[in-house]
Amino acid sequence: MIQDSHTIGTLPAEFWQLPEDILFCKLDSDTNGLSQSEAERRLAIFGANRVEASKSRSILEKIGRRVLNPLVAMLLVAAAVSGLSGDLGSFVIIVAVLSLSLTLDIVQEHRAELTAEALRDSVAIQADVVRDGVEISLPVKALVPGDIVRLRTGDLIPADGIVLESRELQVNEALMTGEPFPALKTSAPCSSKSPAEATNALFAGTSTVGGSGKMLIAETGSRTRFGAITAALAANAPPTALELGVRRLGLLILRLTLLLTLFVLMAHLVAQRPAMESFLFAVALAVGLTPELLPMVMTVTLARGALRMAARKVIVKRLSAIHDLGAMDTLCVDKTGTLTEARITLAAHVDSEGRDSDPVLSLAYMNSTFQAGFRSPLDEAILAASHDGVDNWVRLSEVPFDFERRCLSVLAARNCEHVLISKGAPESILARCAAVEIDGLAHPFDEAWQQKLTAIQDRYARDGFRLLAVATRLMPPAQETVAVGDEVDLTLIGFCVFADPPKQDAADAIASLASLGVRIKILSGDHAAVVAHVAGSVGLPSDRIMTGSDISELTDAALAAQVDDIDLFARIDPDQKRRIITALRHRNHVVGFMGDGVNDAPAIHTAHVGISVTGATEVARAAADMILLAPDLSVLAAGVREGRRTFANILKYVRMGTSSNFGNMLSMALASIVLPFLPLLPLQILLNNLLYDLSEVGIPFDEVDQEDVERPQAWDMRGILRFTILMGAVSSLFDAITFVVLLKVFHAEATLFQTGWFVESIATQILVIFLIRSRRMPWRANRPHATLIATSLGALAAGVALALGPWGRLFGFTTPPMTLMATIVAITATYLAAAEVAKRVAVPYPPNRT
């Protein structure tokens, strides 16, 4: 009797490889099952046989995790400083934008927490267990390692274990493998390392669809493979591509802000400027460098993308997934239910020479119609393919299916004609045949026919099809019953050919994605031949395949080294799917995964963007970031374009904000050291910043150029820094020209200087938006959206009116002479021409795009 968990021998991950007696020994159990007292002791040690729900974070924890993002933290500091310095406008804007962004994120995370709960609700409730040598019914949560459980058709497998007895036991393992065909389970030893090929293993969450048997439980609760899936879903999801990009952008802006403000503050103090005035000026610079509207621009842009996706019947559960979909360069897909229909269909019915044959279908239809036992998915496919009926034939007798014979026979009669119709595995039927029928004539079943029929089977097998052979035998009119001994001297009529067909639009969808620079990889639990056939039918290369057995021999580093070169993965389990996604992420790919089963949930959870489809399991839908409500895969390519359009508009704001803000703040910092007065008052800096931000409110509505959606886009911090420095330098150069003109030509005193430079600064900042918004020349780019035109020109008009109007004195402005205004217009026009030239250097043009 065990006292603690160490009394039970440690089981290997591939426990099904152990001989039955060794496993009994390690589990300290026998064929009479456990005693009730022993089971209770083990229950106290191992815990209940259920998947524990993941602990949900509190609201404060969720907010705290987001505040740690450098950009969010910097915006909060800017809001606090703005409030303390009396700039209530900036304070309200920043707080409102951050509150909206954080609220949307937390709501999305709460919805995702339903994933593990969906898993817990999908397991069995009761099981028939052998305790003290007696079979009793117990709640599944009371099962422990070493228990023996009886299984019947329709039961869910309650835990992981091995088969002790099998009476034609068939199990639907689509949860683990994605394969739609039932798996035959036996008690014979199995040496395969792959769970998908473990013919004697049973896994929690799968279900029996035929026959009966007994199992020995090896693992329960969170130690089952089903539990491992839930644990993977309960773990924190890796950061998304958008989160990583924004975090890196925040660190870049933070470094620039600290460098510039500290430099200005120190320079002012060394020059013995008033300490409080210097501090307020440095704070105004810091706020001016902060992209306070970035969360709003991202949220509005992503929300508009979600609305457009919803119109295409795509539910977006996590807004940032739209950006990640656009950045995606690798899409991994499950085969069954994603590329295929997830239903077995009769693809063909051929005679012994491989030609289409209606008699084959008619005979198979009668066999499936007249059988009294459990109908397999293959029978359902036959019945769905024919509507001819049985044409006055009646059923007399049946030899039921069993896994030793692997065939089923029925005796049918019409008038005085009695015919035995047999249907089953080709090798089983052929072993019972004496003749082959071609065009109504019987030919002896000799070696030549054996070779010809083997070639037909091999051809279909290579293409991923499954075959059933159909044969007949005329019986004496007086015979009304049949037995196994009658299944001899059969005449082969032909074969029924079955497949899980690809979706009609799968090939077109994959071609569209490939044209957008997205590489497709198939990750399937099905056989390699089937995966290769489906890949070929949808236009993917099928020359290199890696199997689950191959992956189990590789370390994570070795897998990452090979994962780029292989597009097809077969016979892999859920954890291996997750490892492949992780390996691709380590290779700096932005990875999407699309699947529909529980076995796909860990990979969906690990990918940058997880996608599920209509009809998927609740677990897969809960783990996904996007759900396709219509069986139309073409929306994937539309989603990729939408994501790239979204990212292009976000990048517009980043480029505009960082380069313009940096240029103007750099100009003010340098000028404040040289000039005997401040180039702009702190209030004027904040007004400038507020008007500029308002001018960019229309960016989420803007159109983008075609080249921005043709290839995957990613956050390029070096490119952003290069753009910021180059465009900022051009802006500062023209600011310096303005300074010289104001001081040397117009001999401006402090108030006139501040007025003139405010107008020049706001004009250059806002008008350059119409250049930076596109890589192309302004007259070749898409027309700006009306909202962007209105917000930009409206903010410019407001800025000029505030500076030159009668209320300008409230902000420290004065009325400048008309000659100065004409000069500022000329400087602004020259700056825009120079900025267009600099833009072509800062953002290289795609080939043949001007």
Side-chain angles (χ1 to χ4, degrees), residues 439-678:
D439 296 329
L441 299 177
H443 303 269
F445 185 33
D446 53 21
E447 182 64 27
W449 274 110
Q450 179 70 57
Q451 293 178 0
K452 182 180 293 187
L453 295 172
T454 299
I456 291 175
Q457 294 177 70
D458 290 344
R459 185 179 78 245
Y460 280 113
R462 283 194 303 270
D463 290 339
F465 293 97
R466 179 171 292 193
L467 299 184
L468 284 182
V470 179
T472 62
R473 177 188 174 189
L474 289 176
M475 305 298 290
Q479 184 169 343
E480 296 190 354
T481 61
V482 288
V484 172
D486 293 310
E487 294 176 330
V488 295
D489 297 330
L490 301 178
T491 298
L492 181 69
I493 306 300
F495 301 96
C496 290
V497 184
F498 301 89
D500 179 13
K503 292 184 176 179
Q504 291 183 351
D505 63 336
D508 291 340
I510 286 175
S512 296
L513 289 169
S515 69
L516 293 171
V518 179
R519 186 171 181 178
I520 309 296
K521 295 179 182 290
I522 297 180
L523 279 57
S524 175
D526 214 335
H527 293 280
V530 178
V531 174
H533 170 71
V534 171
S537 66
V538 298
L540 292 175
S542 57
D543 52 334
R544 294 195 63 185
I545 301 179
M546 180 177 284
T547 65
S549 299
D550 299 329
I551 294 174
S552 64
E553 301 293 333
L554 299 176
T555 64
D556 289 342
L559 178 60
Q562 299 187 41
V563 72
D564 274 344
D565 300 324
I566 298 173
D567 292 330
L568 304 184
F569 298 85
R571 303 306 277 174
I572 57 176
D573 61 36
D575 186 62
Q576 289 172 335
K577 290 185 179 183
R578 180 196 59 77
R579 287 184 62 197
I580 293 168
I581 300 296
T582 303
L584 288 166
R585 290 184 66 127
H586 286 165
R587 299 287 292 182
N588 295 320
H589 292 287
V590 178
V591 188
F593 183 87
M594 184 168 68
D596 70 331
V598 174
N599 62 317
D600 299 317
I604 291 173
H605 184 70
T606 304
H608 286 102
V609 53
I611 308 165
S612 194
V613 295
T614 183
T617 62
E618 179 63 28
V619 176
R621 293 198 302 271
D625 302 310
M626 294 182 174
I627 302 173
L628 311 186
L629 296 183
D632 180 7
L633 296 181
S634 65
V635 298
L636 277 178
V640 169
R641 294 187 182 93
E642 189 60 52
R644 293 176 185 175
R645 181 182 298 110
T646 298
F647 179 70
N649 279 336
I650 292 174
L651 197 58
K652 286 178 189 179
Y653 175 83
V654 171
R655 286 173 176 165
M656 293 173 188
T658 56
S659 62
S660 185
N661 285 355
F662 178 74
N664 281 338
M665 297 306 114
L666 177 63
S667 300
M668 279 189 278
L670 296 176
S672 68
I673 299 172
V674 177
L675 296 174
F677 51 82
L678 292 177

Side-chain angles (χ1 to χ4, degrees), residues 60-378:
L60 290 178
E61 287 177 312
K62 293 175 181 178
I63 294 175
R65 188 167 63 92
R66 285 162 174 80
V67 168
L68 293 178
N69 183 293
L71 182 61
V72 175
M74 188 166 54
L75 288 172
L76 287 174
V77 172
V81 171
S82 298
L84 293 174
S85 63
D87 180 20
L88 296 180
S90 293
F91 173 79
V92 170
I93 289 175
I94 296 174
V95 170
V97 167
L98 282 179
S99 298
L100 176 62
S101 179
L102 291 175
T103 300
L104 287 174
D105 276 351
I106 290 172
V107 169
Q108 296 298 329
E109 182 175 334
H110 173 70
R111 290 177 179 175
E113 286 171 352
L114 299 175
T115 301
E117 290 301 318
L119 264 177
R120 297 180 72 221
D121 293 340
S122 65
V123 297
I125 298 174
Q126 295 286 125
D128 294 331
V129 191
V130 178
R131 293 275 174 89
D132 295 311
V134 179
E135 188 174 303
I136 60 175
S137 180
L138 289 176
V140 163
K141 64 182 181 181
L143 301 182
V144 295
D147 265 330
I148 294 175
V149 177
R150 180 174 296 281
L151 301 172
R152 298 176 178 83
T153 299
D155 288 346
L156 290 178
I157 307 298
D160 289 0
I162 64 166
V163 178
L164 296 179
E165 296 178 8
S166 173
R167 288 177 289 281
E168 304 174 13
L169 183 62
Q170 299 179 74
V171 177
N172 181 346
E173 292 188 315
L175 179 147
M176 299 297 300
T177 67
E179 185 176 355
F181 297 98
L184 168 64
K185 295 294 181 177
T186 71
S187 59
C190 178
S191 60
S192 174
K193 290 185 177 181
S194 170
E197 298 174 350
T199 55
N200 66 333
L202 297 168
F203 300 103
T206 59
S207 59
T208 58
V209 294
S212 61
K214 281 186 179 181
M215 71 174 292
L216 170 64
I217 292 180
E219 301 284 10
T220 59
S222 59
R223 293 173 300 279
T224 65
R225 291 180 178 266
F226 189 83
I229 292 175
T230 307
L233 296 177
N236 291 338
T240 67
L242 181 60
E243 290 172 343
L244 291 173
V246 171
R247 186 177 303 158
R248 292 164 59 201
L249 176 65
L251 290 173
L252 173 64
I253 296 174
L254 181 61
R255 286 193 291 266
L256 290 174
T257 301
L258 289 175
L259 178 64
L260 192 57
T261 53
L262 288 176
F263 170 74
V264 170
L265 185 59
M266 293 300 296
H268 277 222
L269 294 177
V270 169
Q272 298 184 339
R273 301 284 179 85
M276 181 54 66
E277 184 180 84
S278 299
F279 174 74
L280 291 176
F281 182 75
V283 166
L285 282 180
V287 175
L289 281 168
T290 306
E292 58 261 45
L293 287 190
L294 179 57
M296 184 280 294
V297 170
M298 289 195 302
T299 300
V300 174
T301 305
L302 294 170
R304 281 178 54 80
L307 289 174
R308 282 192 285 262
M309 294 295 287
R312 294 176 176 269
K313 296 187 177 181
V314 178
I315 297 299
V316 179
K317 294 171 55 184
R318 176 174 58 84
L319 285 180
S320 61
I322 297 177
H323 161 276
D324 296 350
L325 191 64
M328 178 179 69
D329 60 17
T330 303
L331 175 62
C332 299
V333 298
D334 177 47
K335 176 187 67 67
T336 306
T338 304
L339 295 179
T340 68
E341 298 287 355
R343 58 181 176 83
I344 299 171
T345 61
L346 183 66
H349 35 91
V350 298
D351 64 16
S352 299
E353 290 189 330
R355 303 173 301 180
D356 287 343
S357 172
D358 289 335
V360 171
L361 177 57
S362 298
L363 291 168
Y365 179 85
M366 279 199 290
N367 179 285
S368 296
T369 299
F370 288 150
Q371 71 178 77
F374 169 79
R375 282 178 179 164
S376 72
L378 304 181

